[in-house]
Amino acid sequence: MFHQDHNPAHTELAWILNCITPVGKLRRMTTWKARLAASRNANDESEVDESLLNTGLFTYPVLQAADILVYRATHVPVGEDQTQHLELCRDLAEIFNRTFAYSSTLFPLPVLMSTPSRRILSLRDPTSKMSKSSPDMQSRILLTDSAAQIKAKIRSAVTDSILGITYDPVARPGTSNLLTILAACTEKEVFSIAEIYEGKGHGHLKADVADAVEERIKGPRAEFERIRHEIAYLDEIAQSGAQKAKERSEVTMQAVREMLGLRRS
């Protein structure tokens, strides 16, 4: 565990990968379009003004790829919304291997690791994912939220006016999102959960979702509150983690520099 900016190998590899990344691949990425749309309160990505796009946001997926490849990771646990980024990462690994590694293979092609709950949606807008960057604090559950805050957020979650509870992500995204959250917290299959609530209302479902979320995060929340003020201990962990990360990533970077003909004095 470490702070990314404590290991300069991330940005060094990102710059190298930027030099082999086709612009067309970056233009097809949906994340920068969604971020611009959200920042301008646009209705959808078609209203995005590309004149506001900066290079940092445009090439951010390349830095994400470097975060993975610098450690030659083979499996990456991410949400469904990151699938496109991982595909780019695999493409860049293939391009580098084919262009510079010749008969050897420096970078493995990382594989997506997903859970049954691959995508949790916003509590206020179930057409978009739950995100910490959303301006609406009521749209997400935080590790630091109290039991009362969790109940309030779940109680105000957008659902629909249809009687009964069914799992239908297309027709009933809000209701289905709550069922997905409950299934994840209780480690049960979402369709089995839906059957239990088939003859019940949203009020009953929301109350149980709030209780399940609280039960799931109360332990980690208590541990977070316990150590958050132990600055010396946290600094020690971060420094130790950074040292290990540097040692591991430097092996990769030495191979990269050698293949590119770069030398450090």
Side-chain angles (χ1 to χ4, degrees), residues 122-245:
S122 165
L123 297 176
R124 303 302 299 160
D125 176 15
T127 63
S128 61
K129 71 169 185 174
M130 184 179 289
S131 172
K132 65 181 182 297
S133 60
S134 170
D136 189 349
M137 290 291 293
Q138 301 303 308
S139 68
R140 58 187 176 272
I141 302 295
L142 302 176
L143 178 63
T144 53
D145 282 346
S146 66
Q149 288 174 316
I150 291 172
K151 286 184 178 181
K153 289 180 178 182
I154 297 296
R155 192 183 306 120
S156 64
V158 172
T159 51
D160 54 53
S161 58
I162 301 174
L163 295 178
I165 302 297
T166 56
Y167 182 74
D168 186 341
V170 176
R172 309 186 69 182
T175 300
S176 299
N177 189 43
L178 292 179
L179 289 169
T180 299
I181 294 172
L182 183 55
C185 290
T186 58
E187 298 182 355
K188 295 180 179 178
E189 208 276 327
V190 68
F191 288 102
S192 299
I193 293 290
E195 289 179 0
I196 295 174
Y197 291 89
E198 186 174 2
K200 301 177 181 179
H202 284 104
H204 195 153
L205 174 61
K206 288 182 176 182
D208 288 351
V209 171
D211 289 342
V213 171
E214 168 62 16
E215 183 64 26
R216 173 62 67 173
I217 73 170
K218 67 179 182 181
R221 181 180 60 216
E223 183 66 7
F224 174 80
E225 293 297 336
R226 184 184 70 81
I227 68 172
R228 66 182 302 184
H229 299 299
E230 298 182 18
I231 306 302
Y233 169 73
L234 295 175
D235 284 344
E236 180 183 351
I237 293 296
Q239 291 172 13
S240 175
Q243 183 59 37
K244 293 177 182 177

Side-chain angles (χ1 to χ4, degrees), residues 36-74:
L36 280 184
S39 68
R40 306 300 294 179
N41 292 321
N43 293 321
D44 55 55
E45 295 175 6
S46 64
E47 299 180 7
V48 167
D49 181 359
E50 292 190 16
S51 68
L52 301 174
L53 176 64
N54 59 62
T55 306
L57 178 59
F58 189 56
T59 63
Y60 183 65
V62 182
L63 176 60
Q64 290 182 303
D67 293 341
I68 297 168
L69 296 179
V70 77
Y71 301 105
R72 290 191 252 190
T74 58

Side-chain angles (χ1 to χ4, degrees), residues 29 31 60 64 78-88 112 118-119 129:
M29 304 300 289
T31 47
Y60 183 65
Q64 290 182 303
V78 292
E80 186 181 52
D81 61 298
Q82 293 297 315
T83 300
Q84 191 183 41
H85 287 173
L86 189 59
E87 289 173 350
L88 175 66
L112 172 70
R118 293 178 296 176
R119 188 177 180 85
K129 71 169 185 174

